[in-house]
Amino acid sequence: DIQMTQSPSSLSASVGDRVTITCRANETIGSSLNWYQQKPGKAPQVLIFAASSLQSGVSSRFSGSGSGTDFTLTISSLQPEDFATYYCQQSYTTWWTFGQGTKVEIK
Amino acid sequence: QVQLVQSGAEVKKPGASVKVSCKASGYTFTSFYIHWVRQAPGQGLEWMGVINPSGGSTTYARKLQGRVTMTRDTSTSTVYMELRSLRSEDTAVYYCARDPRFISMVRGVGRGWCDPWGQGTLVTVSS
């Protein structure tokens, strides 16, 4: 199975900060990379699909980029409601895999 | 609106089986793949497998092959996930989620994503 590695595993940031989370695949996955946000006790919600497409209804402060093996999720100006855990997920093959998650905490 | 509603929490003993349901509404049930994802307490997300509600074909995570079965009932727009030979490591919240792309417009589950998700079902395995 394709392995997905996120970095960092956690970060502390302040409201208004620009935040970047990276996700690396151990083999090329084209642009078949999705990003999810999960808040405690809730189901995940998709933010970005196909590496850079913003899900309808999601704030434009979220953006995704990358292709091949290296991908980035950027939050342009962190808001209080953005404190959550973020997961990348590849769907290049039939057997999907997730990154281990990045927890974004309040500084 | 598109909605996935899952069955309630379960407590099982090691070695037993559990069957979780996921009832879909608000769309044509047979037109979209349904995936299952689980999350152990305090841990990350783990993809378990996918079912095509139209023909019933499935693909399972290699780690769970032989212990998991996903089925569907088109008359009730419900997908089921059964996990057998439960062990403590199977304690988790189990989610169903829909791939929003029309099955007829894509070649398999590649390049898909999950939206929306069910509310989750906690399965606790304990003696």
Side-chain angles (χ1 to χ4, degrees):
Chain A
D1 292 350
I2 295 176
Q3 294 183 6
M4 308 300 295
T5 302
Q6 289 181 231
S7 61
S9 296
S10 64
L11 65 90
S12 295
S14 301
V15 172
D17 283 354
R18 182 180 180 88
V19 170
T20 298
I21 299 169
T22 63
C23 178
R24 174 167 289 177
N26 67 344
E27 58 184 271
T28 184
I29 59 171
S31 60
S32 299
L33 190 284
N34 309 308
W35 290 97
Y36 298 87
Q37 177 193 67
Q38 187 180 34
K39 296 181 179 179
K42 300 293 187 182
Q45 292 187 306
V46 66
L47 299 173
I48 302 287
F49 62 91
S52 60
S53 295
L54 187 68
Q55 171 72 2
S56 175
V58 173
S59 171
S60 58
R61 63 180 179 274
F62 291 95
S63 64
S65 64
S67 66
T69 60
D70 294 309
F71 301 85
T72 299
L73 173 70
T74 299
I75 310 173
S76 60
S77 177
L78 198 65
Q79 297 302 301
E81 60 267 31
D82 300 337
F83 292 96
T85 300
Y86 295 84
Y87 295 93
C88 63
Q89 172 246 320
Q90 69 79 20
S91 59
Y92 185 72
T93 69
T94 303
W95 293 269
W96 293 7
T97 47
F98 288 88
Q100 81 278 15
T102 296
K103 187 173 184 179
V104 176
E105 299 176 300
I106 302 173
K107 194 171 191 177
Chain B
Q1 75 282 20
V2 176
Q3 202 170 8
L4 301 174
V5 177
Q6 299 182 221
S7 50
E10 303 261 14
V11 179
K12 297 292 182 181
K13 293 193 181 303
S17 298
V18 68
K19 194 169 186 177
V20 179
S21 67
C22 170
K23 183 173 177 59
S25 62
Y27 70 96
T28 302
F29 174 68
T30 53
S31 293
F32 301 88
Y33 292 109
I34 294 287
H35 295 259
W36 288 89
V37 175
R38 70 178 180 177
Q39 184 171 39
Q43 302 301 307
L45 302 170
E46 179 185 12
W47 181 81
M48 299 179 67
V50 59
I51 183 168
N52 179 339
S54 178
S57 60
T58 55
T59 299
Y60 303 130
R62 294 183 176 97
K63 172 183 175 181
L64 296 173
Q65 196 87 29
R67 284 207 302 139
V68 67
T69 301
M70 297 174 189
T71 56
R72 93 288 190 219
D73 181 343
T74 57
S75 68
T76 60
S77 299
T78 302
V79 171
Y80 299 91
M81 186 285 300
E82 181 180 32
L83 190 61
R84 300 175 294 279
S85 302
L86 290 168
R87 33 225 198 205
S88 59
E89 310 89 87
D90 295 318
T91 293
V93 175
Y94 289 75
Y95 295 101
C96 60
R98 191 189 80 158
D99 182 331
R101 305 169 306 153
F102 281 98
I103 292 174
S104 61
M105 301 291 287
V106 298
R107 290 187 196 176
V109 299
R111 301 179 180 82
W113 63 95
C114 286
D115 178 65
W117 296 57
Q119 84 275 19
T121 297
L122 175 62
V123 174
T124 302
V125 183
S126 174
S127 55

